[in-house]
Amino acid sequence: MKKIFIILIASVFIISCESTKKVTNTDTKPSVTKSVKTSFFIDSLTVKKHLYTLASDDMQGRKPGTEGIEKAAQYIENEFKKLGLTYFEGLDSYRQTFNFTDRRSQEEITSANIIGVLEGKSKTDEYVIISAHYDHLGMKESGEGDLIFNGANDDASGVTGVLALAEYFKKMGNERTIVFVAFTAEEMGLIGSTHFGKDIDASKFVAGINLELIGKVPSFGPNTAWLTGFERSDFGKIVQKNLVGSGYQLFPDPYKSFNLFFRSDNASLARLGVPSHTFSTTAIDVDKDYHQVSDEAETLNMTIITQTIQAVAKGTESIINGRDTPTRVVLEEKKN
């Protein structure tokens, strides 16, 4: 833990930087004016606040159509409002509300994607989406002991990343327009992201950055993450290039048999041709808390989450600012 913390502090200086200012040397040589960077830190305390709030018992497992997910929606809306994000095209609030039928219960459910927009400076008609799903499995209908599927890693951790990155790019600036989305009903079959994709012009979306299960040490070890669908565009190679020298590494998804590229919200955009991929840090093949009531905030590592968010910020910065444009995604499912 101490080693991870030291690496985190070092990586903050590499990853986070803001506007330049002028300073003067104070040594005995002639006065020389030079530029240095002032730093913007992704605050681990803010990260913890978001995570513990979204994964609290008060949210009741965030199942669509329940009081719990409504509380989560309001929390995300309030955070977008604090940052001054604008509404997505065609909406008069942060909510994209719609109805759908639960495939299992056949119940009609009303729910909403929560969307905030940070307009780009010079490439306003080119969009990058940063997303995570804020729904989870709700509560057990009966039993004793813990009955709440809190969904801390899955996917309060990802939504925490979305909120932290919204604050980061609000302060750092962005040339392309960023669309921040907390999708609903991912656990019911990518319902929210599929609905979002119905009416968009996919050609305007140059990249999709999806975050899921970013709260634990991955199989590659500390200071690493893995990316789904790595071979389907050059998005991952761009991120790897940007992370050189940061002390953080990105690897291709090691769980090919799990078909994870098509199991998270990135798939809804990828099917439209958008180079949309999911970042994760969890060893999903051995994770004992996945889809269990034991997926609690206390099981996660705030340093890992904060460090991963910083690495995503640095790794995607050239895409956000228009210097790199990933190739369109290859849609065909790969055979193992």
Side-chain angles (χ1 to χ4, degrees), residues 231-252:
E231 72 285 357
R232 297 178 185 276
S233 79
D234 65 358
F235 176 97
K237 291 181 179 179
I238 292 170
V239 174
Q240 285 181 328
K241 175 194 68 176
N242 291 337
L243 289 176
V244 170
S246 72
Y248 201 100
Q249 291 180 283
L250 180 70
F251 292 91

Side-chain angles (χ1 to χ4, degrees), residues 58-120:
D58 195 43
M59 300 294 179
Q60 301 173 349
R62 306 188 307 277
K63 186 175 181 178
T66 66
E67 179 184 347
I69 198 170
E70 172 60 23
K71 291 179 180 178
Q74 290 177 10
Y75 180 82
I76 298 165
E77 285 179 307
N78 288 337
E79 293 303 313
F80 283 176
K81 184 176 181 179
K82 287 177 187 177
L83 293 173
L85 301 188
T86 58
Y87 303 147
F88 189 60
E89 55 191 41
L91 300 181
D92 58 5
S93 74
Y94 294 120
R95 297 197 182 207
Q96 184 184 49
T97 304
F98 61 99
N99 296 327
F100 68 95
T101 302
D102 184 347
R103 297 169 186 172
R104 293 184 179 180
S105 69
Q106 297 304 304
E107 176 188 3
E108 187 78 5
I109 295 173
T110 299
S111 195
N113 295 323
I114 312 301
I115 310 172
V117 177
L118 187 59
E119 186 171 307

Side-chain angles (χ1 to χ4, degrees), residues 14-15 168 242-246 309-318:
I14 297 170
I15 293 170
Y168 179 90
N242 291 337
L243 289 176
V244 170
S246 72
I309 296 167
Q310 291 173 166
V312 171
K314 179 171 177 60
T316 62
E317 187 271 340
S318 67

Side-chain angles (χ1 to χ4, degrees), residues 22-23 31 39 59-60 71 75 79 81 108-109 121 131-132 204 216 223 231 238 249 252 254 258 262 278 290 327:
K22 299 295 184 179
V23 297
S31 179
S39 294
M59 300 294 179
Q60 301 173 349
K71 291 179 180 178
Y75 180 82
E79 293 303 313
K81 184 176 181 179
E108 187 78 5
I109 295 173
K121 294 179 180 178
S131 64
K204 291 184 176 182
K216 296 184 177 181
N223 316 309
E231 72 285 357
I238 292 170
Q249 291 180 283
F258 284 51
F262 292 98
T278 295
Y290 177 69
T327 56

